[in-house]
């Protein structure tokens, strides 16, 4: 039978420090992906009909990127505001509404909800939750305001009102 040797305490401290540093660097690098003044991370999702969509395809006009779910009361309260904004300013500003589909009953339930609410602005499905993870979405609704070059200008947690959207994009 082999004897179990005790690990040198200084090696244990070194290993713990190394692990802590790796975790810290990983978290810092993940959070640095989405920062004001930097280009927003690209992603690919699908729309309600399964058609692929990439954020990088939208250069040319500002983008309102919103994360939401059908079961979220504050999200529900802002959806009519998004619809109004889309109807009035959809030619000037892209709306990219990302549904947290991983938290929903099904894709079909999201489609039915959108139809019932009469929403006409683009809705996309984050089926695996990877986009919300990349954008560090912890609370919903969460919105990002991107300029025409997809640079992050601002972020907002909580429901938006029509007036907030108009003010953020200074549209007329």
């Amino acid at each position: 039978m082999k004897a179990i040797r005790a690990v040198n305490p200084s090696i244990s401290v070194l290993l713990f420090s190394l692990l802590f540093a790796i975790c810290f660097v990983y978290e810092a690098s993940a959070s640095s992906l989405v920062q004001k003044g930097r280009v927003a991370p690209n992603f690919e999702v699908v729309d309600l009909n399964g058609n692929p969509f990439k954020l990088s395809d939208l250069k040319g006009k500002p983008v309102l990127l919103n994360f939401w779910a059908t079961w979220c009361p504050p999200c529900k309260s802002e959806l009519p505001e998004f619809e109004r904004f889309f109807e009035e300013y959809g030619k000037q500003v892209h709306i990219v509404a990302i549904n947290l589909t991983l938290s929903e009953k099904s894709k079909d339930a999201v489609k039915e909800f959108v139809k019932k609410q009469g929403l006409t602005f683009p809705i996309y499905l984050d089926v695996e939750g990877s986009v919300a993870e990349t954008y560090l979405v912890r609370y919903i609704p969460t919105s990002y305001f991107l300029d025409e070059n997809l640079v992050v200008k601002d972020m907002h947690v909580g429901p938006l009102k029509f007036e907030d959207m108009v003010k953020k994009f200074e549209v007329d």
Side-chain angles (χ1 to χ4, degrees):
M1 187 180 272
K2 292 186 178 183
I4 298 175
R5 288 194 289 167
V7 176
N8 183 330
S10 61
I11 291 175
S12 295
V13 169
L14 179 63
L15 288 174
F16 176 77
S17 298
L18 183 61
L19 180 62
F20 178 77
I22 290 170
C23 291
F24 179 77
V25 168
Y26 174 76
E27 182 64 31
S29 66
S31 65
S32 67
L33 291 175
V34 183
Q35 286 185 350
K36 286 183 186 177
R38 289 196 175 182
V39 175
N42 193 28
F43 58 82
E44 187 170 336
V45 289
V46 295
D47 67 14
L48 293 173
N49 297 315
N51 301 310
F53 164 82
K54 288 183 185 175
L55 180 65
S56 59
D57 293 339
L58 294 184
K59 289 184 181 176
K61 60 184 181 180
V63 177
L64 174 51
L65 175 62
N66 175 262
F67 294 89
W68 69 283
T70 63
W71 49 263
C72 163
C75 300
K76 289 179 186 178
S77 74
E78 78 177 356
L79 290 173
E81 305 287 323
F82 274 83
E83 184 63 28
R84 179 178 169 204
F85 185 76
F86 179 70
E87 288 171 2
E88 292 191 34
Y89 300 106
K91 290 188 180 0
Q92 295 170 268
V93 177
H94 290 291
I95 293 180
V96 178
I98 306 287
N99 174 267
L100 303 181
T101 315
L102 195 60
S103 71
E104 301 284 1
K105 291 179 185 174
S106 69
K107 293 180 210 177
D108 289 337
V110 177
K111 285 175 91 167
E112 184 59 34
F113 176 87
V114 168
K115 183 179 177 183
K116 192 180 280 188
Q117 296 296 316
L119 304 176
T120 61
F121 56 87
I123 306 279
Y124 302 97
L125 304 174
D126 185 10
V127 177
E128 296 174 2
S130 59
V131 181
E133 185 176 318
T134 298
Y135 279 78
L136 303 173
V137 174
R138 301 294 180 253
Y139 305 98
I140 54 172
T142 293
S143 297
Y144 285 90
F145 302 91
L146 314 178
D147 71 9
E148 62 279 351
N149 296 310
L150 304 179
V151 173
V152 178
K153 292 302 185 188
D154 205 359
M155 178 225 198
H156 179 85
V157 177
L160 286 169
K161 296 283 187 197
F162 173 81
E163 295 77 19
D164 301 329
M165 298 175 220
V166 171
K167 188 175 180 180
K168 285 288 183 184
F169 290 106
E170 299 176 2
V171 289
D172 40 61

